[in-house]
C-alpha cells in the first residue's frame, strides 16, 4: 500500500468528523466541544449499536433528558415573554411549542434528520422519530455546554428565527376536538366525569373534570368553566397518549374486554317446549276465514247425507197415533231451534280438534243426539203430509 493511501485513510475519519462539526454549527449556531455527545444523540435504537460496555448505544437516554430540559427552558421563556398571563395560558403555550408535532417539524426544517443514523423506514415522514431526535439534541447540548447553551439555542436559534411565539401563544387549539377525533377513529368510548364544582375565594365558579376512555382514567383538568376544564383534561390525556404506551395498551385492553362481552351469547338457552306451543297458537289464529268456508260446506253435505239416511229409516217405522204426532211436533220444534243454533255458530274444524275444548261436556241427563232429533223431525213432517 502506498504512503498516500495510508494518509487518505487516516484523514477520512477527521474529514467526516469535520463535516459533522460544520453541520452541527449550522443547526445549533455554535461548534460542539465534545462531539461524542452529538454522535449518540444522532443514533437511533434501530441501528442496534452497543458501547464498549456492551450496553445499547442510542439516543433514548438523551431524549429523556432533552424532554425535561425543554419543559424548563421553554417554560422560562414563556414566563418572561407573557407577563401577567395566567398559569393556564402559559401551560398551553409551552405545550404547543414542545409538542411532538412542533419538534418534529423543526427537526425537518433544520435539516437535523439528514444527520440521524437510523434503519427505520420512511424517516423523512416520521414526526415521532424527528421529535425524539430534537429532544436528544437538546440533551447533548446540555451535557456538552450546560443550561445556558440550551437557553441560547432555544431563544436565538429556534424562537427568534424559526417560530413566531406570539402566533403560537394566541392560536386556539381545540384539544377536546382532537381527542374526540382520535377516539372515534379508534372506535373507543370516551366520557368526561365531573370531579368537583366549587367556588374560589372571589366567588368565581371552579370546575374539575377527568377523561375516561373505555373506563380507563385519563387526564384531569380544572378551569373557570366546564369548557375550559374539559379542554385542560383533554390536553393532558392527549399528552399521555403521546408519551405513555402503557396508557394506550390499557385502553385497548379494556375495549377488547368490552367487545368480547358484547359478542358472547346469553347463558340461558331458549325453552323449546314454549317455542313449540307458541308456534301452534300462531297457526290456530292464522287460520283464515276462506279455509273455514271451505270446511263448512263439506261438513254440511255430510250432515245432510246422514239426515237423509235417518229420514228413510224413520219413514218405515213411523207411528200413527196422535200422541206420537204430538211428540214429533214437539221434537220438531226442538229440532228447529237446534238447527238455527247450529247454523248461527258452526264450530270450525280447528275448534273440533282442540283437545282442551270442554263445550261438549254437560252435567244434564242424557239428551237426544243431533241425528235422532233430525230423524224425529223428518218423521213428524212425513206424518203431517199423510
Amino acid at each position: 500500500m502506498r504512503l498516500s493511501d495510508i494518509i487518505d485513510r487516516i484523514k477520512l475519519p477527521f474529514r467526516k468528523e469535520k463535516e459533522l462539526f460544520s453541520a452541527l454549527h449550522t443547526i445549533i449556531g455554535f461548534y460542539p466541544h465534545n462531539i461524542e455527545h452529538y454522535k449518540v444523540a444522532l443514533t437511533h435504537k434501530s441501528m442496534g449499536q452497543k458501547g464498549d460496555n456492551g450496553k445499547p448505544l442510542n439516543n433514548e437516554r438523551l431524549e429523556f433528558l432533552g424532554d425535561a430540559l425543554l419543559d424548563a427552558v421553554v417554560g422560562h421563556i414563556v414566563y418572561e415573554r407573557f407577563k401577567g398571563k395566567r398559569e393556564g395560558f402559559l401551560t398551553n403555550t409551552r405545550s404547543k411549542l414542545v409538542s411532538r408535532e412542533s419538534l418534529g417539524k423543526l427537526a425537518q426544517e433544520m435539516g437535523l434528520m439528514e444527520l440521524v443514523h437510523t434503519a427505520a423506514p420512511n424517516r423523512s415522514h416520521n414526526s415521532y422519530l424527528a421529535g425524539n431526535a430534537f429532544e436528544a439534541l437538546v440533551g447533548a447540548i446540555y451535557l456538552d455546554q450546560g443550561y445556558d447553551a440550551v437557553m441560547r439555542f432555544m431563544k436565538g436559534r429556534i424562537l427568534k428565527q424559526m417560530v413566531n411565539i406570539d402566533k403560537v401563544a394566541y392560536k386556539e387549539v381545540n384539544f377536546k376536538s382532537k381527542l374526540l377525533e382520535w377516539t372515534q377513529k379508534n372506535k373507543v368510548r370516551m366520557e368526561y366525569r365531573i370531579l368537583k364544582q366549587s367556588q374560589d375565594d372571589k366567588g368565581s365558579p371552579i370546575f374539575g373534570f377527568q377523561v375516561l376512555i373505555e373506563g380507563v382514567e385519563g387526564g384531569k383538568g380544572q378551569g373557570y368553566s366546564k369548557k375550559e376544564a374539559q379542554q385542560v383534561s383533554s390536553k393532558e390525556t392527549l399528552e399521555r397518549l403521546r408519551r405513555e404506551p402503557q396508557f394506550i395498551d390499557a385502553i385497548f385492553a379494556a375495549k377488547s374486554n368490552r367487545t368480547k362481552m358484547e359478542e358472547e351469547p346469553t347463558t340461558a338457552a331458549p325453552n323449546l317446549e314454549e317455542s313449540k306451543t307458541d308456534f301452534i297458537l300462531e297457526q290456530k289464529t292464522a287460520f283464515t276465514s276462506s279455509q273455514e268456508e271451505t270446511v263448512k260446506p263439506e261438513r254440511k253435505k255430510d250432515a245432510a247425507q246422514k239426515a237423509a239416511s235417518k229420514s228413510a229409516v224413520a219413514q218405515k217405522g213411523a207411528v200413527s197415533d196422535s200422541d206420537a204426532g204430538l211428540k214429533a211436533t214437539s221434537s220438531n220444534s226442538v229440532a228447529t231451534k237446534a238447527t238455527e243454533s247450529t247454523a248461527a255458530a258452526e264450530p270450525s274444524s280447528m275448534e273440533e280438534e282442540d283437545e282442551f275444548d270442554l263445550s261438549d261436556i254437560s252435567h244434564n241427563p242424557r239428551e237426544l243426539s243431533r241425528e235422532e232429533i233430525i230423524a224425529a223431525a223428518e218423521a213428524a213432517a212425513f206424518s203431517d203430509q199423510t
Side-chain angles (χ1 to χ4, degrees), residues 276-292:
K276 183 177 179 181
T277 304
D278 292 341
F279 171 76
I280 294 174
L281 289 175
E282 289 183 6
Q283 289 296 100
K284 179 178 178 180
T285 56
F287 195 86
T288 62
S289 59
S290 61
Q291 290 173 312
E292 291 178 354

Side-chain angles (χ1 to χ4, degrees), residues 50-67:
K50 294 185 178 181
D52 296 336
N53 56 4
K55 295 183 179 180
L57 185 65
N58 55 60
N59 62 6
E60 285 188 334
R61 286 170 53 83
L62 284 175
E63 173 196 337
F64 164 80
L65 181 61
D67 178 49

Side-chain angles (χ1 to χ4, degrees), residues 100-117:
R100 188 71 56 183
E101 291 79 9
S102 298
L103 298 181
K105 187 174 182 180
L106 285 171
Q108 297 287 355
E109 293 293 327
M110 296 166 63
L112 181 62
M113 292 306 297
E114 297 178 5
L115 303 179
V116 175
H117 300 284

